[in-house]
């Protein structure tokens, strides 16, 4: 894994180019969604790769556990039918009829099916180089999350403002199914994905929402219909 990750990091560094600073990377992170399942024998390598990505400031790595493998003997303790629906939405938007695990979606646009670290590195670098269409900042005061966004130009269309909460890690002893007998540590496990409203970019976005607990907060600005992610920000 470390050798594979070294290759991934190298590929990302090469594709990012010499002009992209660490500050820019942290300010405009690339969103990587992993659709995974505790009942999928092909998923642990991708789960481990997501754990490596979770340590990077220039990436927001999110694990969405689906429920369609539960029938083979093990119910995913993090599974949610809403995440299965989200993955199906991405499939429809891209003209695909079938969904798979593991699958990573980069910036709501590019699909990586299976464990393909080099392809993922290329996509992260490519999206990281792209000029963001909006500036997005978050600030939390107690149980209030303040969201501010400002368009850098005309937006392609009205965007969905979405709030994501996740559990940083969780370890599961899997007793049945394809991974029976394995103890697997999962990272950045999404527990909530909520649409807060819409924004057309003509005026700066100013929004305040109630949040509780100490789970990290992520805000994602995305084109409707499971389209491209325009901007994202995180408070750990």
């Amino acid at each position: 894994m470390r050798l594979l990750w070294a290759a991934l990091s190298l590929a990302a560094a090469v594709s990012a180019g010499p002009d992209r600073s660490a500050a820019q990377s942290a300010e405009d992170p690339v969103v990587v969604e992993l659709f995974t399942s505790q009942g999928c024998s092909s998923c642990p390598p991708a789960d481990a790769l997501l754990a490596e990505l979770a340590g990077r400031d220039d990436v927001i790595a999110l694990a969405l556990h689906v429920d369609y493998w539960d029938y083979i003997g093990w119910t995913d303790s993090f599974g949610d039918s809403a995440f299965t629906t989200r993955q199906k939405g991405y499939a429809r938007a891209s003209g695909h009829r079938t969904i798979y695990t593991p699958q990573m979606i980069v910036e709501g646009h590019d699909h990586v099916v299976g464990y393909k670290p080099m392809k993922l590195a290329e996509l992260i670098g490519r999206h990281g180089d792209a000029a963001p269409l909006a500036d997005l900042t978050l600030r939390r005061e107690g149980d209030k999350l303040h969201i501010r966004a400002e368009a850098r130009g005309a937006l392609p269309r009205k965007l969905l403002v979405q709030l994501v909460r996740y559990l940083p890690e969780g370890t599961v002893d899997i007793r049945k199914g394809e991974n029976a007998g394995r103890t697997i540590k999962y990272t950045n496990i999404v527990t909530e994905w909520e649409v807060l409203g819409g924004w057309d970019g003509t005026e700066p976005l100013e929004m305040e929402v109630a949040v509780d607990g100490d789970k990290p907060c992520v805000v994602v600005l995305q084109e409707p219909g499971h389209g491209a992610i325009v901007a994202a920000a995180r408070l750990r």
Side-chain angles (χ1 to χ4, degrees):
M1 169 55 68
R2 291 191 179 278
L3 290 175
L4 286 171
W5 178 245
L8 174 58
S9 299
L10 177 61
V14 170
S15 61
D19 295 329
R20 186 170 182 233
S21 69
Q24 289 173 317
S25 300
E27 291 172 1
D28 306 313
V30 175
V31 177
V32 176
E33 300 172 59
L34 168 64
F35 292 92
T36 186
S37 173
Q38 295 169 11
C40 164
S41 61
S42 301
C43 286
D47 296 323
L49 180 57
L50 191 86
E52 298 281 0
L53 288 173
R56 292 174 53 164
D57 290 334
D58 62 336
V59 174
I60 296 177
L62 302 169
L64 294 92
H65 286 243
V66 299
D67 64 349
Y68 52 83
W69 290 121
D70 291 356
Y71 79 95
I72 60 177
W74 179 255
T75 299
D76 191 313
S77 56
F78 304 129
D80 192 321
S81 61
F83 303 148
T84 299
T85 299
R86 184 169 177 81
Q87 188 182 21
K88 288 179 177 178
Y90 275 129
R92 286 194 299 272
S94 62
H96 295 114
R97 296 183 177 181
T98 309
I99 55 177
Y100 308 86
T101 55
Q103 180 181 32
M104 290 186 176
I105 308 292
V106 183
E107 288 286 88
H109 183 270
D110 289 302
H111 298 215
V112 180
V113 176
Y115 177 69
K116 298 175 182 176
M118 299 306 290
K119 181 177 180 180
L120 181 61
E122 177 188 355
L123 292 172
I124 290 173
R126 184 191 308 165
H127 285 285
D129 277 344
L133 299 180
D135 294 317
L136 175 63
T137 57
L138 308 180
R139 176 172 53 88
R140 183 170 180 176
E141 295 179 346
D143 62 355
K144 298 293 183 182
L145 179 67
H146 301 270
I147 304 168
R148 188 179 195 284
E150 188 167 355
R152 293 190 177 185
L155 297 179
R157 50 182 169 158
K158 188 174 182 178
L159 303 178
L160 298 178
V161 183
Q162 302 168 103
L163 174 64
V164 183
R165 306 294 302 276
Y166 65 83
L167 183 67
E169 62 180 43
T171 301
V172 180
D173 296 320
I174 300 175
R175 296 186 297 276
K176 297 180 181 179
E178 292 185 353
N179 290 316
R182 301 187 65 170
T183 298
I184 301 178
K185 181 178 178 180
Y186 294 97
T187 308
N188 289 11
I189 307 147
V190 175
T191 58
E192 306 165 47
W193 197 300
E194 176 187 2
V195 176
L196 301 176
W199 177 54
D200 62 8
T202 56
E203 298 290 339
L205 171 71
E206 298 279 357
M207 186 178 291
E208 180 181 278
V209 295
V211 292
D212 57 10
D214 59 359
K215 289 185 291 188
C217 299
V218 175
V219 172
V220 175
L221 305 181
Q222 185 172 17
E223 294 181 21
H226 297 86
I229 292 174
V230 168
R234 165 184 53 202
L235 284 180
R236 285 191 173 104

